[in-house]
Amino acid sequence: MSGDRRYDDREVGQILRRVAELHAGEGEKTDARSMSRGEIEEVVQELGISKALVARATGELALQDVRNRPVWWAGGKTELMFEEVVDGPVDDARLSQMIEVLRRSLGDPGQLKQEAGARIWSATTRRIHLTVVEHEGRTTLRLEERMDASVTLGSAFLGGFGGFLAGLFAVVLLKGVVIKALLLLVLGALASIGAVAGWIGGRALWRRRSEGHEAQLRQAFAAIVALAEAPVSEPSPPDE
């Protein structure tokens, strides 16, 4: 391939994104390199790209970082968001294909509605939404889920209650006034130990569950983006 070939803005963006992926994939073979926002603006300015787009991109990245951040008390993530901006519109036929990907992945028919210029597909069994918004010849695809991590708190409560009941049964079953008095004194400690054990177990359970949800949505979103970026097939000419 000739090194004199010219690339348009879309191709430059794809090449830079792929270079970043390859660089990250090399792992320890490369030196860690970080850049400030000012340094990034200098690089894109040489490519003829507006600084305003850098501000927009960094803002969107910050939002995704917040939405995809693990919650320490829950043991995993409670919000997931994947977002991609693609060139061109997404027609109804292609949107139907995207929705079919989600239906097969989630086993949920869901519902599609239009709201303020956005087309939104929502699952019925989980709080999952696919939003498709077109603006100035480009389309933003966003797949997000909000998850209820109450299983972690529920496990802590059950663990504490179990510890309390275990101590209470021991008081009833064991003989001796001194032993019973001692057990009554440590009922609170037994409940606390049970609660901590339950919380630790709940965090591990939620971590596995949230990681499973994330892997499932990531795979579905990759298929959705691939559909959006696939070239539009030209209709075959009618036979003479």
Side-chain angles (χ1 to χ4, degrees):
M1 182 178 293
S2 172
D4 296 331
R5 178 188 166 184
R6 308 290 296 179
Y7 298 93
D8 59 27
D9 289 345
R10 179 185 62 82
E11 291 172 322
V12 169
Q14 291 178 338
I15 291 171
L16 292 176
R17 181 171 59 184
R18 182 56 180 157
V19 168
E21 291 173 352
L22 293 172
H23 180 79
E26 291 184 357
E28 297 180 356
K29 298 179 182 179
T30 60
D31 295 330
R33 175 78 167 96
S34 61
M35 298 178 68
S36 67
R37 176 171 161 178
E39 290 173 331
I40 297 174
E41 289 177 347
E42 291 178 5
V43 172
V44 301
Q45 192 171 14
E46 293 180 3
L47 297 174
I49 300 174
S50 171
K51 292 183 178 181
L53 296 181
V54 177
R56 176 179 172 182
T58 54
E60 291 174 354
L61 181 61
L63 176 60
Q64 291 190 56
D65 285 344
V66 171
R67 295 288 297 275
N68 292 290
R69 185 175 301 165
V71 180
W72 71 271
W73 62 263
K77 300 176 181 180
T78 58
E79 291 185 277
L80 299 171
M81 187 179 80
F82 304 97
E83 185 173 281
E84 187 78 23
V85 180
V86 298
D87 292 325
V90 172
D91 58 24
D92 291 339
R94 190 157 298 195
L95 178 59
S96 297
Q97 293 177 313
M98 296 176 180
I99 291 174
E100 186 59 28
V101 168
L102 290 172
R103 286 172 174 166
R104 289 198 305 268
S105 177
L106 303 173
D108 189 329
Q111 295 180 341
L112 177 65
K113 65 179 180 179
Q114 186 152 348
E115 184 177 304
R119 288 172 290 175
I120 304 173
W121 179 88
S122 301
T124 56
T125 56
R126 286 160 57 181
R127 291 187 290 178
I128 297 176
H129 307 284
L130 171 66
T131 304
V132 180
V133 182
E134 296 178 8
H135 181 67
E136 296 182 353
R138 309 194 76 191
T139 302
T140 299
L141 305 171
R142 183 184 304 114
L143 182 62
E144 53 194 331
E145 178 178 14
R146 293 180 181 271
M147 299 176 288
D148 183 7
S150 58
V151 63
T152 303
L153 296 179
S155 297
F157 173 79
L158 290 177
F161 187 64
F164 178 80
L165 285 182
L168 195 59
F169 283 137
V171 170
V172 174
L173 295 176
L174 292 178
K175 296 180 179 180
V177 177
V178 176
I179 296 178
K180 289 187 175 184
L182 292 174
L183 285 174
L184 286 173
L185 290 176
V186 299
L187 274 180
L190 290 175
S192 298
I193 293 172
V196 171
W199 175 62
I200 293 174
R203 290 180 82 252
L205 177 63
W206 182 253
R207 182 174 61 254
R208 289 194 298 270
R209 182 179 298 182
S210 63
E211 288 175 351
H213 283 208
E214 183 175 9
Q216 183 185 41
L217 289 193
R218 189 183 299 278
Q219 182 177 11
F221 189 67
I224 288 171
V225 173
L227 285 171
E229 294 180 339
V232 178
S233 58
E234 296 292 336
S236 302
D239 296 333
E240 295 293 338

